[in-house]
Amino acid sequence: MAIVADYLAAQNSVIGAALLEPDVIPKILAKTTESDFSGICRTIYSAIRRLFLDGRPADVVSLAASLGEEYRQTLVDLMEVTPTAKNVDIYIDICKKQAKILAAQDIGRQLSEMTDLEEIRGALESAGRRLMESGSRKVVTMEDALKSFMNRQQTEAKYLTWPVAELNDRIYSEPGDFIIIAGYPSAGKSAWALQCAWHWAETYRVGFFSLETSPEKLFDRQIAGLAGVSMEDIKRRSIPESQWSEICCKSGRIIDRKMEIVPAAGMTVADIRSMSVIRRYEIVVIDYLQLLQAPGRNRVEQVTSISIDLHTLAQSLGVTVVALSQLSRPSTMGGAPGMSSLRESGQIEQDADLIQILYLKDNEDPDGFRVLKIAKNKEGTRPNILLDFDGAHQTFRKASSDGCQRHPRRGADFQQMKMLPDDLPVPFD
């Protein structure tokens, strides 16, 4: 096979370049791993690496002493078949590419013989990691960092915007960030995530992975917010004719949104990664994290694995991952929930770039104000904002500064006192 021939030639040339010009050994070791080589080349590569890390020369004499005299002629032959060490970057690229192709083919052969679904899932996940691996590790010098900083300061900053505009100057989320939206059941975290996803889909390709709610029910909520149709009319199939006209007027806007709802029950992070690559999502929303499947002896291990994998997914694909999370039951002592309230794993707290916690200000008033607490923000402030939730239309808006809440069940001018202490910046001015 041509692939095998090219692979062997590339391996021979990489090892030959290391023997011809020891100065390229650090570059080779930085850009490759043992898995990029096979057979005798892998053995020699491992010996070169050991000698280099020990601070000893990796020449023919030293390698023959380390591996055995029977390798001496092979080492000499490798030097002779390598025309020059100057092309080592090309040899490395070919070697890594062919290694990945052969690894994928080998996994394909294994899959053809597998009959267990979990075994197949594990093999596919392993293949995905292998194909995404990069042997090179970028090193940024201070000169590189300064040049990059100067260039970035000359360009317009582009961050995710939010449905509540007051958050835009406080949160600076970028591709590759891992965002958590946490809340107790019925606090409205799914509605808030859906409103955010719809907002982002005007600019970005958004995949909304729902592990709990059907696409039909999620779309009902979108129609309620977009067209101003009450959920009661939608559920009773009694939408007034005037509002049907509004839905028809908005149909073009609905169709143009770059948002897709993915029924995700039973999915793993690997499944979401694959779907995100295939559908070219730029933002991934997961409702919710604790329902994803993962290995582990208990829930803490499973959720820890999920959190790490989602953080890796965001960084490796350069997409923004927004995962909803449950909070542990509130303590009998009361008080506002914080990062320590994230359910089942402290790993979420470590991995997230941004954590929003949504909760009722008054637990005795399920129709009252919500607090959106920015519990963690790596690159910004941590404000709280008071939100008014319109349950009939499944939308959030910033509560007015005088504490007036317009609520359809209580009358348009229902007055409610400010719920937060005066020393908190709520609501935004």
Side-chain angles (χ1 to χ4, degrees):
M1 290 177 61
I3 290 176
V4 174
D6 289 346
Y7 182 34
L8 292 176
Q11 291 182 71
N12 291 341
S13 297
V14 172
I15 300 299
L19 297 171
L20 285 173
E21 184 54 68
D23 287 346
V24 305
I25 290 177
K27 176 189 291 187
I28 293 172
L29 296 180
K31 289 189 173 184
T32 60
T33 66
E34 285 188 3
S35 62
D36 295 320
F37 298 86
S38 63
I40 196 169
C41 284
R42 178 179 289 187
T43 302
I44 297 172
Y45 174 88
S46 298
I48 291 173
R49 186 174 184 276
R50 285 196 305 271
L51 290 171
F52 178 82
L53 294 177
D54 290 341
R56 296 154 57 193
D59 54 26
V60 173
V61 175
S62 299
L63 286 167
S66 175
L67 294 168
E69 282 299 318
E70 65 271 22
Y71 281 84
R72 183 181 292 273
Q73 188 56 51
T74 300
L75 296 170
V76 172
D77 292 343
L78 288 172
M79 294 174 68
E80 290 181 353
V81 299
T82 305
T84 176
K86 292 181 179 179
N87 297 330
V88 67
D89 288 317
I90 297 174
Y91 305 150
I92 290 172
D93 288 343
I94 296 173
C95 183
K96 292 181 67 63
K97 178 181 178 182
Q98 300 294 355
K100 288 182 178 181
I101 291 174
L102 289 178
Q105 291 176 343
D106 183 57
I107 291 172
R109 286 189 290 270
Q110 294 177 32
L111 288 170
S112 68
E113 300 174 359
M114 292 179 180
T115 56
D116 181 74
L117 182 58
E118 287 305 312
E119 190 179 9
I120 291 172
R121 190 190 300 273
L124 289 172
E125 189 169 348
S126 175
R129 285 197 302 267
R130 180 71 181 91
L131 293 175
M132 291 297 295
E133 282 176 0
S134 174
S136 61
R137 295 293 181 262
K138 184 178 180 181
V139 176
V140 180
T141 67
M142 290 300 96
E143 181 181 359
D144 295 334
L146 180 59
K147 288 179 180 178
S148 174
F149 174 79
M150 299 297 288
N151 289 335
R152 283 184 284 117
Q153 291 302 307
Q154 301 303 314
T155 60
E156 181 184 358
K158 293 183 179 180
Y159 303 108
L160 283 186
T161 59
W162 299 83
V164 176
E166 287 78 9
L167 290 171
N168 295 339
D169 293 331
R170 311 294 181 102
I171 297 175
Y172 307 108
S173 295
E174 301 175 281
D177 280 357
F178 180 32
I179 298 172
I180 293 293
I181 298 175
Y184 297 119
S186 301
K189 60 182 182 294
S190 293
W192 172 243
L194 193 64
Q195 188 174 346
C196 290
W198 176 260
H199 173 80
W200 293 328
E202 186 173 7
T203 307
Y204 304 95
R205 290 184 61 84
V206 178
F208 194 102
F209 290 80
S210 177
L211 292 98
E212 187 177 41
T213 308
S214 70
E216 292 78 14
K217 289 185 177 181
L218 290 175
F219 191 71
D220 286 351
R221 298 178 187 180
Q222 286 183 298
I223 289 292
L226 182 64
V229 182
S230 75
M231 284 298 297
E232 290 183 356
D233 286 341
I234 290 174
K235 302 311 289 185
R236 291 174 178 172
R237 309 293 197 271
S238 58
I239 299 175
E241 189 63 33
S242 60
Q243 291 188 315
W244 271 117
S245 299
E246 181 68 14
I247 293 173
C248 291
C249 289
K250 296 287 179 62
S251 60
R253 182 182 171 194
I254 294 170
I255 293 170
D256 288 341
R257 287 282 157 144
K258 296 179 287 186
M259 177 175 170
E260 296 177 343
I261 300 173
V262 183
M267 274 193 172
T268 65
V269 176
D271 297 329
I272 291 176
R273 173 190 283 273
S274 298
M275 181 72 75
S276 299
V277 171
I278 293 169
R279 303 301 298 174
R280 298 179 291 112
Y281 295 141
E282 297 168 282
I283 299 176
V284 171
V285 183
I286 300 164
D287 184 12
Y288 56 91
L289 182 151
Q290 280 86 0
L291 290 179
L292 287 169
Q293 300 296 307
R297 292 171 296 181
N298 52 54
R299 285 301 297 158
V300 172
E301 286 189 4
Q302 292 167 3
V303 173
T304 294
S305 174
I306 291 167
S307 178
I308 292 172
D309 288 346
L310 287 177
H311 183 253
T312 302
L313 186 158
Q315 292 196 327
S316 62
L317 295 186
V319 302
T320 302
V321 174
V322 181
L324 278 64
S325 175
Q326 289 185 334
L327 295 175
S328 300
R329 291 182 180 274
S331 69
T332 55
M333 300 295 291
M339 287 192 290
S340 60
S341 304
L342 290 168
R343 186 170 172 182
E344 293 173 322
S345 178
Q347 189 68 39
I348 301 172
E349 180 180 343
Q350 290 184 342
D351 292 334
D353 297 288
L354 173 70
I355 297 176
Q356 299 180 352
I357 298 178
L358 187 69
Y359 61 95
L360 281 166
K361 180 59 189 116
D362 182 355
N363 289 326
E364 302 301 319
D365 183 9
D367 297 322
F369 287 118
R370 266 65 166 179
V371 178
L372 183 66
K373 176 179 182 178
I374 309 303
K376 181 180 181 181
N377 187 8
K378 282 186 175 180
E379 298 184 334
T381 58
R382 293 186 298 160
N384 294 352
I385 182 171
L386 199 61
L387 297 178
D388 183 11
F389 179 54
D390 181 351
H393 302 98
Q394 294 290 295
T395 54
F396 286 89
R397 61 179 59 86
K398 175 189 156 188
S400 61
S401 58
D402 62 358
C404 178
Q405 183 184 32
R406 298 181 63 83
H407 197 290
R409 297 187 205 172
R410 297 182 172 179
D413 296 321
F414 172 74
Q415 296 287 331
Q416 183 162 340
M417 294 177 62
K418 291 183 180 180
M419 293 292 188
L420 301 181
D422 294 334
D423 59 344
L424 292 177
V426 179
F428 290 124
D429 292 329

